[in-house]
Amino acid sequence: MQSLEALARDARALANGDIVPEQPLSPAEADVARQLQICNACRYCEGFCAVFPAMTRRLEFPKADIHFLANLCHNCGACLHACQYAPPHEFAVNIPQSMAQVRGQTYADYAWPPALGTLYQRNGLTLSLALAAGLALFLVLAIVLQGQGWAVLWRAQAGGFYGLFPHNLLVSLFAPVFLFATLALSLGVRRFWRDITPATSGAPLTAPAATEATDAVLRLRYLDGGHGEGCANEDDAYTLARRRCHHLTFYGFMLCFAATSVATAYHYLLGLPAPYDLPSLPKLLGGLGGLSLAVGTAGLWRLNLRRHPQHGDAAQKPMDRGFIALLFLIATSGLALWAVRDQPALPLMLCLHLGAVMALFATLPYGKFAHGIFRTASLLRHAVEKRQPNAIGLGAD
């Protein structure tokens, strides 16, 4: 009965011109649809991750469904190594690589404004480092032009950071960039959520579904390879290194963000301006976060260089490495600032650190950071959909 009612609604909407014709698939999307049809007939990998149970709820794979499934994939590589139809078989089923290609396409398709997404996708590493260097140079020139001359670049500062850049100046520089990044990313994810919601039952988000998805995000549940031993490495051996490096990177970033948030509260609510010394909470959070972020990104860079070429999309390596490089630069320069706070190297190190942070903010909506947001949205919709009756399963209407 539910299916008849849905067909009747679609027929009325079509008669009124309310249904927009399905958009044609790109070559990458069409190849994902082809492979998923084969997977749907085989179903050997059904217990590996969230992608395959979600796939079995579908007989066809329109664009929105493909975008949803592609961002649900964690690229662990387990299904590739288990697949009897993987290359060199003529079916050439490689779900991790094909899903990665579509994910990269979604970052560009949903980027706002679109031109920036395309630019970063093609030249991520070069753009990230060039932007960080350019912004650092801009800050260097700003210090010099204050009238203190070039000698100020190698001189201990009695006032610390704020002796070079007053607090209100830093806020005026970083707040617009951060707000723009937040707006651009929010607009992109909003469009993505609006597109995949009808394809994932259309049911509203519930507290149990949100709790399950949050647990999957925080534990990186689907980076265990479906068997708890981790992702397949370049030598076909399972390892949890990728999951651990992601955890170090993610929680290191969150600790650094928490340190900034606590310092903001100290400044505006308690009237305690920076700099802070141990054992203050901002210093503890920032130090632990910086160490975790540096170790995690160094590990991810090594794994990225050694990853099996069939596990991902080679075209996305500049984007991936650009994001990793910026995070590593932020972490290491931030820790170095701690060491040189009373040393002549402070001005140059501060400019480098602030330039890297501003470059990260400017590229957040278009780089690898976006994948975590889009993947979270897909996990939320998967947790909602799995709680609904399966329209094509046994006992369906």
Side-chain angles (χ1 to χ4, degrees), residues 204-257:
L205 181 64
T206 61
T211 300
E212 177 184 328
T214 301
D215 176 73
V217 170
L218 296 179
R219 292 196 299 115
L220 290 176
R221 173 183 172 188
Y222 296 112
L223 276 181
D224 65 356
H227 40 58
E229 297 180 26
C231 303
N233 206 1
E234 71 280 354
D235 57 359
D236 203 16
Y238 294 117
T239 173
L240 289 169
R242 188 159 166 257
R243 186 183 191 182
R244 289 165 180 161
C245 288
H246 271 87
H247 271 141
L248 286 169
T249 301
F250 173 73
Y251 286 109
F253 182 86
M254 295 307 295
L255 283 171
C256 291
F257 183 78

Side-chain angles (χ1 to χ4, degrees), residues 70-71 100 102-112 114 117-118 121 316 319-320 365-372 374-375:
N71 283 278
V102 172
R103 275 197 305 278
Q105 179 184 321
T106 60
Y107 306 153
D109 288 348
Y110 289 99
W112 184 88
T118 303
Q121 187 180 38
Q316 289 187 48
M319 178 177 65
D320 295 347
Y366 315 109
K368 196 64 174 179
F369 182 85
H371 93 286
F374 283 90
R375 182 166 289 158

Side-chain angles (χ1 to χ4, degrees), residues 12 19 22 36 74-75 112 152 250 287 364 377 380 382 388:
R12 286 194 296 269
I19 292 183
E22 182 66 35
L36 289 177
H74 284 57
N75 197 233
W112 184 88
V152 74
F250 173 73
L364 276 184
L380 286 167
H382 172 64
Q388 309 305 313

Side-chain angles (χ1 to χ4, degrees), residues 164-194:
L164 292 165
F165 296 104
H167 178 269
N168 290 339
L169 175 61
L170 289 177
V171 172
S172 66
L173 288 174
F174 281 87
V177 180
F178 180 75
L179 292 175
F180 170 80
T182 303
L183 174 64
L185 190 56
S186 299
L187 290 175
V189 175
R190 179 176 175 272
R191 284 180 54 218
F192 179 73
W193 182 271
R194 185 183 61 199

Side-chain angles (χ1 to χ4, degrees), residues 283-297:
K283 205 68 166 181
L284 288 171
L285 293 173
L288 290 174
L291 287 171
S292 178
L293 191 57
V295 174
T297 49

